[in-house]
Amino acid sequence: MPCSITPVIDLVFGRWSTQVLWVLIHDGRLRFTELQQRIPGLTPKVLTQRLRQLERDGLVARTYHPEVPPRVEYEATPLAATLTPVFSSIVAWSGEHLGEVLAARAAKDAPRAPGGSRSIPASPSDRDRNRAVPLTSRTFTAPVLVEGRARAGIRPIRAAS
């Protein structure tokens, strides 16, 4: 039987959804630009996608005002307002425990010396050698082959679109 919390997690805690809902619940009705300015790092394209999805899910109401120039405002619905206790609980938990999480993360991320004690690696390349790199674009790198052997340099290769 699937976990009953999964759909709610996907709905409310998707990338940027929580921030959009948090701002709309706390700041009230906002225009697109005002909302974007309150959430650093959120691009207009992603904000548009999040707002459309949240509107579809009944958590955000969009109001179009037929003026010149046209004005559109967004606000949290009463359904979204029912999430306030959930967000408040998360804020309280964060205030109590986020320091512990950050300390545990720092301790785990600190490199280990051969004897088991933690030390700083000789160079950044030693530290990053085995770290996975997320694919964030359609450009990849591959070794350059010279006379059948890989050369130390790399050249970019464009992925097939």
Side-chain angles (χ1 to χ4, degrees):
M1 182 170 143
C3 179
S4 60
I5 196 170
T6 301
V8 175
I9 296 296
D10 292 342
L11 174 75
V12 177
F13 297 105
R15 182 83 170 129
W16 298 110
S17 295
T18 306
Q19 293 92 323
V20 170
L21 288 171
W22 178 264
V23 169
L24 289 175
I25 287 170
H26 286 279
D27 294 349
R29 183 180 299 151
L30 296 171
R31 295 179 74 169
F32 184 91
T33 308
E34 296 169 327
L35 183 55
Q36 185 184 5
Q37 290 170 348
R38 285 174 170 79
I39 307 174
L42 180 57
T43 64
K45 177 184 175 184
V46 174
L47 178 56
T48 299
Q49 292 170 344
R50 290 295 98 216
L51 287 169
R52 285 180 183 163
Q53 184 63 47
L54 291 168
E55 183 182 10
R56 179 176 175 253
D57 294 335
L59 297 171
V60 169
R62 177 181 186 270
T63 305
Y64 173 79
H65 300 278
E67 303 170 348
V68 178
R71 180 171 48 110
V72 177
E73 296 175 320
Y74 298 91
E75 63 185 317
T77 64
L79 178 61
T82 64
L83 292 167
T84 301
V86 174
F87 292 153
S88 297
S89 294
I90 291 171
V91 169
W93 186 91
S94 176
E96 292 176 28
H97 301 289
L98 187 59
E100 296 171 53
V101 171
L102 296 175
R105 188 180 293 168
K108 191 69 172 174
D109 290 347
R112 289 191 178 268
S117 64
R118 301 214 178 255
S119 69
I120 297 182
S123 70
S125 62
D126 291 339
R127 181 180 63 235
D128 298 331
R129 182 172 293 139
N130 295 321
R131 185 174 290 171
V133 177
L135 297 176
T136 56
S137 69
R138 297 177 83 53
T139 301
F140 303 91
T141 57
V144 176
L145 295 178
V146 176
E147 297 176 13
R149 291 186 292 173
R151 195 173 65 166
I154 54 175
R155 64 181 173 86
I157 298 174
R158 293 298 284 171
S161 297

